[in-house]
Amino acid sequence: MEAKATLKYARISPRKVAIVCDLIRGKSVGQATAILMATPKAASELLLKLLKSAAANAENNHGMDPEKLYVSNAFGTPGPIIKRIRPRAQGRAFRINKRTSHITVAVAEKEAK
């Protein structure tokens, strides 16, 4: 069983989120927290908050042991793009795409071997 936490419509590009997700996927919750606190990326702050939420969901809603938790899945998918216009020379206009993300972090309990 796994516990999830989701953030929708985050104003950050999914490409930037994917870089930080790759750092924590498969790590224990304690190790992933340490990595996120030391990573100087904008997405690390959002993912840290999501990781804490997923760990709390696992403990409170599913009765899992917080010491045995690891990040089973972490990913960011594209959300809707907010389109803006930038005025350019001679009456032209260039489009600016402000990308959004839906970020999901899932934690599960490590099986005893």
Side-chain angles (χ1 to χ4, degrees):
M1 177 177 277
E2 63 179 18
K4 291 182 183 178
T6 307
L7 172 63
K8 291 192 165 200
Y9 306 105
R11 255 296 287 124
I12 187 166
S13 167
R15 191 172 172 179
K16 293 177 182 179
V17 172
I19 292 168
V20 183
C21 284
D22 291 342
L23 292 175
I24 63 167
R25 197 175 297 113
K27 306 276 193 303
S28 70
V29 170
Q31 194 177 5
T33 302
I35 290 169
L36 290 174
M37 289 177 85
T39 306
K41 297 265 186 197
S44 62
E45 197 173 319
L46 299 171
L47 277 164
L48 180 62
K49 194 170 181 179
L50 265 178
L51 180 62
K52 287 179 179 177
S53 178
N57 288 343
E59 187 179 353
N60 295 319
N61 299 347
H62 301 292
M64 295 182 195
D65 182 13
E67 297 298 315
K68 295 180 182 176
L69 294 177
Y70 75 102
V71 181
S72 60
N73 209 347
F75 58 91
T77 56
I81 298 171
I82 303 166
K83 297 176 176 87
R84 296 290 178 259
I85 297 298
R86 175 103 178 140
R88 303 304 289 174
Q90 299 179 359
R92 293 182 178 91
F94 285 0
R95 174 176 278 168
I96 294 177
N97 292 329
K98 295 184 178 277
R99 299 183 187 277
T100 61
S101 301
H102 301 318
I103 309 168
T104 303
V105 174
V107 295
E109 223 169 10
K110 267 273 201 258
E111 309 286 318
K113 291 181 182 175

XYZ file of all heavy atoms in Angstrom:
856
model
N 0.844 -1.182 0.000
C 0.000 0.000 0.000
C 0.885 1.239 0.000
O 1.938 1.267 0.613
C -0.903 -0.012 1.233
C -1.762 1.236 1.350
S -2.879 1.196 2.740
C -4.204 0.277 2.037
N 0.428 2.255 -0.698
C 1.187 3.502 -0.702
C 0.271 4.679 -0.392
O -0.930 4.623 -0.636
C 1.937 3.699 -2.019
C 1.088 3.835 -3.248
C 1.924 4.046 -4.510
O 3.126 3.757 -4.501
O 1.358 4.509 -5.500
N 0.872 5.730 0.166
C 0.152 6.955 0.476
C 0.648 8.045 -0.455
O 1.839 8.119 -0.753
C 0.382 7.348 1.932
N -0.262 8.891 -0.935
C 0.082 9.915 -1.912
C -0.207 11.309 -1.387
O -1.040 11.496 -0.498
C -0.735 9.730 -3.188
C -0.399 8.526 -3.997
C -1.248 8.501 -5.250
C -0.985 7.256 -6.061
N -1.821 7.193 -7.254
N 0.474 12.272 -1.992
C 0.150 13.682 -1.809
C 0.287 14.328 -3.180
O 1.218 14.016 -3.928
C 1.083 14.331 -0.811
N -0.645 15.202 -3.534
C -0.669 15.811 -4.862
C -0.769 17.326 -4.756
O -1.514 17.849 -3.928
C -1.874 15.285 -5.668
O -1.845 13.860 -5.661
C -1.843 15.767 -7.102
N -0.002 17.998 -5.602
C -0.093 19.455 -5.738
C -0.492 19.734 -7.172
O 0.195 19.312 -8.103
C 1.251 20.115 -5.420
C 1.355 21.611 -5.714
C 0.379 22.405 -4.852
C 2.763 22.096 -5.488
N -1.598 20.434 -7.361
C -2.064 20.731 -8.709
C -1.869 22.211 -9.020
O -1.915 23.047 -8.133
C -3.535 20.363 -8.852
C -3.760 18.870 -8.814
C -5.156 18.529 -9.252
C -5.213 17.051 -9.549
N -6.333 16.729 -10.405
N -1.661 22.494 -10.285
C -1.535 23.853 -10.818
C -0.372 24.637 -10.203
O -0.473 25.839 -9.994
C -2.845 24.634 -10.651
C -4.031 23.916 -11.228
C -4.953 23.296 -10.392
C -4.214 23.824 -12.600
C -6.036 22.609 -10.926
C -5.293 23.145 -13.132
C -6.201 22.543 -12.290
O -7.267 21.867 -12.820
N 0.740 23.965 -9.916
C 1.927 24.653 -9.398
C 2.536 25.470 -10.537
O 2.703 24.973 -11.647
C 2.942 23.642 -8.879
N 2.906 26.707 -10.264
C 3.427 27.589 -11.310
C 4.926 27.358 -11.514
O 5.755 28.237 -11.250
C 3.157 29.051 -10.942
C 2.044 29.695 -11.714
C 2.273 29.830 -13.206
N 3.246 30.855 -13.508
C 4.348 30.647 -14.225
N 4.640 29.472 -14.708
N 5.175 31.624 -14.455
N 5.262 26.171 -11.959
C 6.634 25.819 -12.280
C 6.595 24.819 -13.429
O 5.665 24.019 -13.528
C 7.375 25.244 -11.049
C 8.850 25.043 -11.342
C 6.726 23.981 -10.542
C 9.684 24.799 -10.095
N 7.584 24.886 -14.275
C 7.632 24.015 -15.444
C 7.811 22.552 -15.031
O 8.591 22.251 -14.135
C 8.789 24.450 -16.328
O 9.068 23.490 -17.304
N 7.113 21.617 -15.693
C 7.263 20.196 -15.360
C 8.692 19.691 -15.583
O 9.137 18.760 -14.927
C 6.297 19.480 -16.293
C 5.544 20.507 -17.026
C 6.095 21.845 -16.707
N 9.396 20.311 -16.489
C 10.783 19.936 -16.769
C 11.682 20.209 -15.563
O 12.578 19.420 -15.251
C 11.241 20.740 -17.981
C 12.526 20.334 -18.579
C 12.710 21.098 -19.863
N 14.030 20.872 -20.397
C 14.454 21.392 -21.521
N 13.667 22.165 -22.229
N 15.668 21.148 -21.947
N 11.431 21.332 -14.900
C 12.210 21.675 -13.707
C 11.863 20.749 -12.540
O 12.717 20.415 -11.732
C 11.964 23.130 -13.315
C 12.490 24.120 -14.312
C 12.159 25.538 -13.896
C 12.647 26.530 -14.939
N 12.312 27.910 -14.578
N 10.607 20.358 -12.463
C 10.154 19.457 -11.401
C 10.762 18.068 -11.587
O 11.192 17.427 -10.621
C 8.609 19.375 -11.382
C 8.124 18.298 -10.430
C 8.018 20.716 -10.995
N 10.829 17.604 -12.834
C 11.332 16.254 -13.128
C 12.776 16.068 -12.675
O 13.158 14.991 -12.205
C 11.208 15.976 -14.614
N 13.587 17.119 -12.780
C 14.992 17.047 -12.374
C 15.098 16.734 -10.885
O 15.886 15.881 -10.469
C 15.707 18.375 -12.698
C 15.820 18.554 -14.207
C 17.082 18.434 -12.050
C 16.243 19.940 -14.632
N 14.293 17.394 -10.075
C 14.353 17.197 -8.626
C 13.669 15.882 -8.229
O 14.120 15.211 -7.303
C 13.725 18.401 -7.881
C 13.851 18.249 -6.391
C 14.398 19.699 -8.315
N 12.623 15.483 -8.943
C 11.958 14.207 -8.664
C 12.914 13.038 -8.842
O 12.889 12.077 -8.070
C 10.751 14.016 -9.578
S 9.324 14.976 -9.107
N 13.765 13.127 -9.866
C 14.732 12.058 -10.128
C 15.723 11.893 -8.986
O 16.260 10.806 -8.783
C 15.487 12.322 -11.429
C 14.592 12.192 -12.656
O 13.508 11.586 -12.536
O 14.972 12.695 -13.717
N 15.991 12.976 -8.246
C 16.940 12.918 -7.131
C 16.419 12.096 -5.953
O 17.198 11.454 -5.251
C 17.271 14.332 -6.625
C 18.057 15.247 -7.552
C 18.172 16.627 -6.923
C 19.428 14.682 -7.836
N 15.096 12.137 -5.723
C 14.553 11.528 -4.500
C 13.852 10.187 -4.718
O 13.603 9.470 -3.753
C 13.585 12.490 -3.777
C 12.357 12.805 -4.625
C 14.306 13.748 -3.348
C 11.246 13.487 -3.872
N 13.544 9.845 -5.959
C 12.802 8.610 -6.227
C 13.591 7.396 -5.740
O 14.766 7.238 -6.037
C 12.512 8.486 -7.710
C 11.433 7.493 -8.033
C 11.075 7.463 -9.509
N 10.520 8.727 -9.983
C 11.128 9.539 -10.854
N 12.302 9.227 -11.344
N 10.557 10.650 -11.232
N 12.943 6.539 -4.911
C 13.576 5.324 -4.411
C 14.341 5.493 -3.107
O 14.762 4.515 -2.509
N 14.500 6.726 -2.635
C 15.244 6.983 -1.395
C 14.309 6.881 -0.183
O 13.093 6.975 -0.310
C 15.857 8.384 -1.413
C 16.732 8.701 -2.614
C 18.123 8.197 -2.409
C 19.127 8.726 -3.390
N 18.906 8.523 -4.781
N 14.892 6.688 1.002
C 14.076 6.708 2.226
C 13.592 8.135 2.458
O 14.182 9.091 1.945
C 14.893 6.223 3.416
O 15.874 7.184 3.748
N 12.531 8.281 3.248
C 11.947 9.605 3.478
C 12.950 10.532 4.162
O 13.077 11.704 3.790
C 10.632 9.494 4.285
C 10.155 10.855 4.748
C 9.553 8.839 3.442
N 13.699 10.020 5.129
C 14.702 10.839 5.810
C 15.798 11.305 4.874
O 16.208 12.475 4.903
N 16.257 10.410 4.031
C 17.313 10.742 3.075
C 16.789 11.716 2.014
O 17.484 12.661 1.636
C 17.811 9.457 2.406
C 19.103 9.605 1.657
C 19.581 8.277 1.085
O 18.894 7.256 1.170
N 20.761 8.288 0.496
N 15.570 11.509 1.545
C 14.970 12.399 0.546
C 14.765 13.805 1.116
O 14.997 14.798 0.414
C 13.638 11.831 0.071
N 14.368 13.885 2.390
C 14.199 15.181 3.044
C 15.529 15.929 3.092
O 15.590 17.126 2.795
C 13.641 14.997 4.471
O 12.402 14.297 4.392
C 13.404 16.326 5.147
N 16.592 15.227 3.449
C 17.922 15.843 3.513
C 18.378 16.324 2.137
O 18.935 17.422 2.008
C 18.927 14.849 4.081
N 18.122 15.528 1.111
C 18.499 15.910 -0.253
C 17.744 17.165 -0.684
O 18.332 18.102 -1.231
C 18.225 14.750 -1.246
C 19.210 13.612 -1.011
C 18.297 15.225 -2.692
C 18.856 12.330 -1.741
N 16.448 17.205 -0.416
C 15.635 18.353 -0.827
C 16.023 19.626 -0.082
O 16.000 20.721 -0.659
C 14.149 18.054 -0.618
C 13.548 17.025 -1.572
C 12.122 16.707 -1.175
C 13.596 17.515 -3.001
N 16.397 19.488 1.183
C 16.784 20.669 1.954
C 18.108 21.255 1.465
O 18.361 22.447 1.618
C 16.861 20.335 3.439
C 15.491 20.097 4.050
S 15.558 19.614 5.768
C 15.656 21.199 6.554
N 18.946 20.414 0.851
C 20.255 20.863 0.384
C 20.269 21.223 -1.103
O 21.280 21.706 -1.603
C 21.289 19.779 0.655
N 19.174 20.994 -1.810
C 19.130 21.246 -3.247
C 18.649 22.671 -3.531
O 17.550 23.044 -3.134
C 18.181 20.246 -3.944
O 18.583 18.923 -3.594
C 18.206 20.404 -5.443
N 19.457 23.473 -4.235
C 19.077 24.865 -4.507
C 18.219 25.022 -5.771
O 18.583 25.751 -6.687
C 20.424 25.553 -4.673
C 21.297 24.507 -5.253
C 20.823 23.194 -4.687
N 17.121 24.323 -5.838
C 16.202 24.416 -6.979
C 14.848 24.889 -6.470
O 14.467 24.610 -5.340
C 16.033 23.041 -7.644
C 17.295 22.476 -8.249
C 17.316 22.832 -9.701
C 18.475 22.187 -10.410
N 18.702 22.842 -11.685
N 14.107 25.573 -7.332
C 12.791 26.092 -6.941
C 11.817 24.951 -6.630
O 10.975 25.063 -5.731
C 12.225 26.971 -8.048
N 11.939 23.846 -7.349
C 11.014 22.720 -7.167
C 11.253 21.988 -5.857
O 10.350 21.313 -5.351
C 11.146 21.744 -8.327
N 12.451 22.104 -5.276
C 12.759 21.341 -4.067
C 11.897 21.792 -2.883
O 11.527 20.974 -2.043
C 14.244 21.434 -3.718
O 14.605 22.758 -3.459
N 11.557 23.063 -2.822
C 10.698 23.564 -1.741
C 9.294 22.961 -1.831
O 8.723 22.523 -0.830
C 10.617 25.090 -1.829
C 10.105 25.757 -0.580
C 10.202 27.272 -0.660
O 11.212 27.776 -1.169
O 9.247 27.943 -0.209
N 8.751 22.919 -3.052
C 7.420 22.332 -3.258
C 7.429 20.835 -2.963
O 6.507 20.309 -2.327
C 6.968 22.568 -4.703
C 6.831 24.013 -5.172
C 6.595 24.064 -6.666
C 5.704 24.698 -4.426
N 8.467 20.145 -3.427
C 8.550 18.702 -3.219
C 8.773 18.347 -1.756
O 8.285 17.314 -1.289
C 9.660 18.108 -4.084
C 9.230 17.830 -5.524
C 10.434 17.622 -6.410
C 8.319 16.645 -5.592
N 9.492 19.180 -1.018
C 9.705 18.929 0.408
C 8.381 18.980 1.160
O 8.075 18.105 1.977
C 10.692 19.944 0.984
C 11.017 19.811 2.465
C 11.681 18.477 2.764
C 11.919 20.947 2.909
N 7.582 19.984 0.844
C 6.264 20.115 1.477
C 5.365 18.926 1.122
O 4.664 18.381 1.981
C 5.627 21.426 1.020
C 4.437 21.862 1.824
C 4.028 23.265 1.451
C 2.846 23.715 2.274
N 2.429 25.087 1.968
N 5.413 18.491 -0.140
C 4.626 17.343 -0.583
C 5.086 16.051 0.075
O 4.262 15.205 0.438
C 4.755 17.179 -2.097
C 3.669 17.807 -2.942
C 3.982 17.598 -4.405
C 2.323 17.254 -2.615
N 6.406 15.893 0.222
C 6.959 14.690 0.845
C 6.521 14.579 2.303
O 6.125 13.507 2.759
C 8.485 14.707 0.747
C 9.221 13.519 1.346
C 8.835 12.234 0.639
C 10.710 13.742 1.268
N 6.553 15.702 3.014
C 6.107 15.702 4.417
C 4.622 15.370 4.504
O 4.188 14.652 5.401
C 6.391 17.060 5.057
C 7.851 17.305 5.330
C 8.063 18.674 5.949
C 9.530 18.919 6.237
N 9.762 20.272 6.783
N 3.845 15.883 3.559
C 2.406 15.615 3.538
C 2.132 14.144 3.253
O 1.272 13.525 3.900
C 1.736 16.486 2.482
O 0.366 16.212 2.413
N 2.858 13.563 2.293
C 2.668 12.150 1.959
C 3.056 11.253 3.134
O 2.387 10.257 3.416
C 3.490 11.790 0.724
N 4.143 11.607 3.841
C 4.572 10.829 5.008
C 3.533 10.917 6.123
O 3.244 9.927 6.799
C 5.926 11.324 5.496
N 2.951 12.114 6.316
C 1.909 12.284 7.331
C 0.652 11.501 6.958
O 0.013 10.895 7.823
C 1.579 13.765 7.502
N 0.316 11.486 5.663
C -0.832 10.696 5.198
C -0.620 9.210 5.466
O -1.534 8.506 5.887
C -1.067 10.907 3.696
C -1.638 12.263 3.379
O -2.151 12.963 4.252
N -1.524 12.660 2.125
N 0.597 8.741 5.226
C 0.911 7.332 5.433
C 0.773 6.949 6.905
O 0.232 5.897 7.244
C 2.331 7.036 4.959
N 1.266 7.828 7.769
C 1.241 7.538 9.207
C -0.174 7.641 9.780
O -0.629 6.749 10.490
C 2.174 8.510 9.937
C 2.355 8.186 11.398
C 3.317 9.150 12.091
O 3.931 9.986 11.408
O 3.435 9.049 13.321
N -0.880 8.716 9.443
C -2.179 8.979 10.061
C -3.344 8.247 9.398
O -4.243 7.773 10.089
C -2.466 10.482 10.061
C -1.490 11.244 10.923
O -1.127 10.792 12.010
N -1.034 12.380 10.435
N -3.318 8.133 8.073
C -4.461 7.532 7.375
C -4.314 6.032 7.147
O -5.299 5.311 7.072
C -4.674 8.207 6.018
C -4.973 9.691 6.164
O -5.255 10.170 7.249
N -4.888 10.418 5.069
N -3.064 5.559 7.017
C -2.842 4.153 6.686
C -2.119 3.377 7.785
O -1.875 2.187 7.637
C -2.064 4.036 5.371
C -2.764 4.690 4.212
N -3.941 4.216 3.668
C -2.467 5.805 3.503
C -4.324 4.986 2.673
N -3.447 5.967 2.549
N -1.726 4.064 8.867
C -1.082 3.391 9.991
C 0.280 2.797 9.674
O 0.681 1.812 10.281
N 1.008 3.394 8.747
C 2.338 2.883 8.399
C 3.392 3.392 9.378
O 3.205 4.426 10.017
C 2.719 3.315 6.975
C 1.861 2.744 5.894
S 2.466 3.299 4.303
C 1.092 2.918 3.254
N 4.500 2.660 9.472
C 5.609 3.039 10.346
C 6.454 4.102 9.646
O 6.997 3.849 8.572
C 6.468 1.805 10.649
C 7.613 2.105 11.597
O 7.599 3.188 12.217
O 8.525 1.274 11.715
N 6.584 5.313 10.235
C 7.317 6.389 9.569
C 8.804 6.104 9.343
O 9.424 6.675 8.460
C 7.135 7.596 10.491
C 6.522 7.113 11.727
C 5.974 5.755 11.492
N 9.378 5.184 10.118
C 10.800 4.844 9.968
C 11.060 3.978 8.734
O 12.176 3.964 8.210
C 11.305 4.105 11.218
C 11.241 4.930 12.495
C 12.111 6.186 12.430
O 13.260 6.074 11.969
O 11.624 7.266 12.800
N 10.050 3.243 8.263
C 10.223 2.308 7.151
C 9.797 2.894 5.803
O 9.831 2.211 4.794
C 9.408 1.041 7.399
C 9.871 0.224 8.584
C 9.000 -1.000 8.733
C 9.393 -1.823 9.939
N 8.477 -2.951 10.138
N 9.385 4.166 5.777
C 8.861 4.745 4.545
C 9.964 5.108 3.556
O 11.046 5.534 3.946
C 8.048 6.006 4.863
C 6.758 5.814 5.645
C 6.122 7.158 5.944
C 5.787 4.934 4.888
N 9.657 4.917 2.275
C 10.543 5.371 1.209
C 9.703 5.976 0.088
O 8.498 5.745 0.003
C 11.411 4.218 0.676
C 10.680 3.241 -0.206
C 10.822 3.287 -1.585
C 9.839 2.268 0.328
C 10.151 2.394 -2.410
C 9.168 1.368 -0.481
C 9.329 1.447 -1.855
O 8.659 0.565 -2.662
N 10.328 6.777 -0.766
C 9.624 7.426 -1.871
C 9.463 6.403 -2.987
O 10.413 6.088 -3.696
C 10.406 8.661 -2.374
C 9.657 9.341 -3.509
C 10.654 9.641 -1.245
N 8.268 5.867 -3.138
C 8.028 4.839 -4.150
C 7.833 5.456 -5.531
O 8.175 4.850 -6.535
C 6.816 3.984 -3.773
O 5.663 4.780 -3.673
N 7.303 6.666 -5.581
C 7.075 7.327 -6.858
C 7.044 8.833 -6.671
O 6.498 9.322 -5.672
C 5.764 6.838 -7.473
C 5.773 6.890 -8.977
O 6.652 7.498 -9.578
N 4.790 6.263 -9.586
N 7.616 9.565 -7.601
C 7.570 11.028 -7.598
C 7.629 11.488 -9.048
O 8.524 11.105 -9.790
C 8.738 11.589 -6.812
N 6.646 12.275 -9.456
C 6.627 12.747 -10.837
C 5.849 14.048 -10.949
O 5.043 14.397 -10.087
C 6.038 11.689 -11.777
C 4.634 11.260 -11.436
C 3.545 11.901 -11.973
C 4.419 10.199 -10.559
C 2.248 11.508 -11.650
C 3.137 9.790 -10.234
C 2.044 10.452 -10.785
N 6.119 14.764 -12.022
C 5.401 15.994 -12.336
C 4.882 15.909 -13.759
O 5.634 15.603 -14.672
N 3.602 16.152 -13.933
C 2.998 16.128 -15.261
C 2.576 17.547 -15.639
O 2.321 18.372 -14.765
C 1.773 15.198 -15.302
O 0.844 15.619 -14.305
C 2.168 13.762 -15.050
N 2.501 17.849 -16.934
C 2.121 19.203 -17.345
C 0.671 19.530 -16.996
O -0.219 18.696 -17.155
C 2.297 19.189 -18.864
C 3.073 17.981 -19.178
C 2.870 17.010 -18.066
N 0.468 20.733 -16.517
C -0.874 21.247 -16.281
C -1.222 22.200 -17.414
O -0.518 22.244 -18.429
N -2.274 22.993 -17.256
C -2.641 23.945 -18.312
C -1.574 25.042 -18.455
O -0.938 25.424 -17.474
C -3.968 24.524 -17.839
C -4.041 24.238 -16.398
C -3.221 23.019 -16.144
N -1.388 25.514 -19.676
C -0.409 26.560 -19.944
C -1.130 27.903 -19.941
O -2.141 28.074 -20.626
C 0.278 26.323 -21.300
C 1.040 25.002 -21.282
C 1.214 27.475 -21.644
C 1.578 24.581 -22.628
N -0.613 28.844 -19.169
C -1.160 30.197 -19.139
C -0.463 30.975 -20.252
O 0.760 31.105 -20.244
C -0.919 30.864 -17.773
C -1.514 30.020 -16.654
C -1.486 32.275 -17.758
C -1.056 30.410 -15.268
N -1.216 31.466 -21.228
C -0.627 32.129 -22.388
C -0.685 33.643 -22.226
O -1.727 34.202 -21.914
C -1.348 31.692 -23.650
C -1.187 30.205 -23.917
C -1.972 29.746 -25.099
C -1.696 28.298 -25.381
N -2.564 27.404 -24.607
N 0.473 34.290 -22.436
C 0.595 35.735 -22.333
C 1.209 36.274 -23.619
O 1.875 35.549 -24.354
C 1.473 36.123 -21.138
C 0.893 35.711 -19.788
C -0.339 36.543 -19.459
N -0.959 36.174 -18.204
C -2.036 35.430 -18.091
N -2.603 34.934 -19.159
N -2.564 35.179 -16.912
N 1.038 37.566 -23.865
C 1.554 38.204 -25.073
C 2.606 39.236 -24.679
O 2.416 40.027 -23.761
C 0.406 38.907 -25.841
C -0.650 37.905 -26.315
C 0.948 39.695 -27.013
C -0.152 36.874 -27.286
N 3.729 39.224 -25.422
C 4.814 40.184 -25.220
C 4.882 41.080 -26.455
O 5.114 40.581 -27.564
C 6.130 39.432 -25.056
C 7.322 40.317 -24.948
C 7.753 40.389 -23.521
N 8.940 41.210 -23.400
C 9.107 42.051 -22.410
N 8.178 42.175 -21.480
N 10.198 42.758 -22.332
N 4.675 42.384 -26.299
C 4.777 43.281 -27.460
C 6.209 43.314 -28.007
O 7.163 43.324 -27.245
C 4.396 44.649 -26.898
C 3.740 44.386 -25.600
C 4.294 43.092 -25.095
N 6.323 43.288 -29.329
C 7.622 43.340 -29.980
C 7.627 44.482 -30.995
O 6.623 45.176 -31.180
C 7.916 42.004 -30.682
C 7.878 40.789 -29.797
C 8.813 40.880 -28.618
N 10.202 40.763 -29.047
C 11.247 40.920 -28.255
N 11.075 41.207 -26.992
N 12.454 40.791 -28.725
N 8.738 44.640 -31.679
C 8.913 45.748 -32.612
C 7.936 45.670 -33.791
O 7.519 44.592 -34.198
C 10.342 45.745 -33.144
N 7.592 46.827 -34.324
C 6.754 46.991 -35.504
C 5.379 46.353 -35.361
O 4.852 45.749 -36.291
C 7.486 46.438 -36.735
C 8.791 47.159 -37.011
C 9.530 46.604 -38.194
O 9.087 45.659 -38.829
N 10.672 47.207 -38.500
N 4.798 46.435 -34.175
C 3.429 45.992 -33.967
C 3.242 44.492 -33.841
O 2.118 44.006 -33.794
N 4.330 43.745 -33.794
C 4.220 42.297 -33.647
C 4.021 41.933 -32.180
O 4.232 42.740 -31.292
C 5.469 41.613 -34.196
C 5.629 41.743 -35.688
C 6.845 40.997 -36.157
N 6.998 41.059 -37.595
C 7.692 42.002 -38.244
N 8.305 42.958 -37.570
N 7.769 41.990 -39.553
N 3.662 40.689 -31.974
C 3.498 40.196 -30.602
C 4.037 38.775 -30.531
O 3.755 37.959 -31.410
C 2.035 40.227 -30.193
N 4.824 38.492 -29.502
C 5.333 37.143 -29.262
C 4.584 36.547 -28.091
O 4.226 37.242 -27.149
C 6.828 37.156 -28.953
C 7.718 37.392 -30.140
C 7.209 37.578 -31.418
C 9.085 37.421 -29.970
C 8.036 37.795 -32.499
C 9.919 37.637 -31.046
C 9.402 37.824 -32.315
N 4.360 35.240 -28.159
C 3.655 34.555 -27.083
C 4.632 34.103 -26.009
O 5.716 33.612 -26.300
C 2.904 33.353 -27.637
C 2.256 32.509 -26.548
C 1.458 31.392 -27.101
N 0.154 31.929 -27.467
C -0.731 31.284 -28.199
N -0.454 30.100 -28.672
N -1.893 31.808 -28.473
N 4.223 34.249 -24.759
C 4.973 33.710 -23.631
C 4.092 32.650 -22.977
O 2.944 32.918 -22.622
C 5.334 34.805 -22.607
C 6.316 35.788 -23.236
C 5.892 34.202 -21.343
C 6.671 36.930 -22.333
N 4.622 31.432 -22.854
C 3.893 30.340 -22.211
C 4.339 30.219 -20.763
O 5.509 29.967 -20.496
C 4.165 29.020 -22.933
C 3.560 28.997 -24.313
O 2.540 29.615 -24.555
N 4.192 28.295 -25.226
N 3.431 30.405 -19.845
C 3.722 30.224 -18.421
C 3.204 28.839 -18.048
O 2.002 28.616 -17.938
C 3.069 31.318 -17.592
C 3.640 32.690 -17.908
C 3.076 33.759 -17.032
C 3.694 35.098 -17.330
N 4.963 35.300 -16.661
N 4.124 27.911 -17.899
C 3.754 26.513 -17.718
C 3.404 26.200 -16.266
O 3.959 26.792 -15.348
C 4.878 25.615 -18.210
C 5.155 25.822 -19.686
C 6.193 24.910 -20.226
N 6.529 25.264 -21.593
C 5.845 24.887 -22.661
N 4.771 24.143 -22.531
N 6.227 25.250 -23.871
N 2.491 25.237 -16.090
C 2.109 24.773 -14.759
C 2.321 23.263 -14.684
O 2.452 22.596 -15.706
C 0.633 25.105 -14.435
O -0.197 24.442 -15.375
C 0.381 26.600 -14.466
N 2.354 22.760 -13.442
C 2.599 21.332 -13.218
C 1.613 20.769 -12.222
O 1.118 21.476 -11.350
C 3.999 21.122 -12.647
O 4.964 21.612 -13.511
N 1.349 19.477 -12.365
C 0.666 18.701 -11.346
C 1.726 17.746 -10.791
O 2.249 16.917 -11.522
C -0.500 17.900 -11.919
C -1.555 18.735 -12.589
N -2.006 19.932 -12.065
C -2.252 18.547 -13.742
C -2.944 20.435 -12.863
N -3.104 19.612 -13.889
N 2.039 17.883 -9.507
C 3.120 17.102 -8.902
C 2.529 16.074 -7.946
O 1.665 16.404 -7.134
C 4.105 18.019 -8.138
C 4.550 19.177 -9.028
C 5.304 17.223 -7.659
C 5.271 20.278 -8.278
N 3.007 14.827 -8.030
C 2.551 13.749 -7.159
C 3.744 13.072 -6.510
O 4.724 12.767 -7.189
C 1.738 12.701 -7.943
O 0.643 13.361 -8.585
C 1.203 11.611 -7.035
N 3.659 12.870 -5.186
C 4.677 12.124 -4.446
C 3.967 10.986 -3.722
O 2.970 11.212 -3.028
C 5.428 13.018 -3.439
C 6.370 12.201 -2.588
C 6.188 14.112 -4.150
N 4.481 9.769 -3.889
C 3.902 8.604 -3.217
C 4.974 7.943 -2.350
O 6.132 7.829 -2.770
C 3.380 7.610 -4.241
N 4.587 7.556 -1.134
C 5.506 6.848 -0.244
C 4.901 5.490 0.095
O 3.690 5.329 0.138
C 5.807 7.646 1.057
C 6.539 8.919 0.752
C 4.547 7.942 1.833
N 5.774 4.514 0.319
C 5.335 3.164 0.673
C 6.264 2.640 1.777
O 7.323 3.202 2.040
C 5.370 2.245 -0.535
N 5.825 1.546 2.405
C 6.603 0.932 3.481
C 7.564 -0.096 2.897
O 7.180 -0.894 2.049
C 5.645 0.257 4.473
C 5.999 0.502 5.907
C 4.895 0.045 6.861
O 3.945 -0.628 6.424
O 5.004 0.386 8.027
N 8.818 -0.055 3.357
C 9.815 -1.041 2.928
C 9.444 -2.399 3.493
O 9.098 -2.523 4.651
C 11.196 -0.678 3.483
C 12.051 0.163 2.563
C 12.846 -0.675 1.591
C 14.033 0.113 1.075
N 13.844 0.647 -0.254
N 9.519 -3.413 2.651
C 9.231 -4.775 3.088
C 10.439 -5.334 3.836
O 11.571 -5.134 3.418
C 8.945 -5.662 1.864
C 7.926 -5.103 0.915
C 6.505 -5.182 1.428
O 6.159 -6.220 1.998
O 5.760 -4.213 1.272
N 10.222 -6.045 4.927
C 11.318 -6.690 5.661
C 11.788 -7.921 4.896
O 10.971 -8.720 4.433
C 10.868 -7.099 7.060
N 13.106 -8.049 4.735
C 13.636 -9.174 3.937
C 14.102 -10.306 4.805
O 14.537 -10.230 5.857
C 14.783 -8.695 3.063
C 14.276 -7.769 1.981
C 15.426 -7.311 1.105
C 14.916 -6.338 0.055
N 15.951 -5.773 -0.726
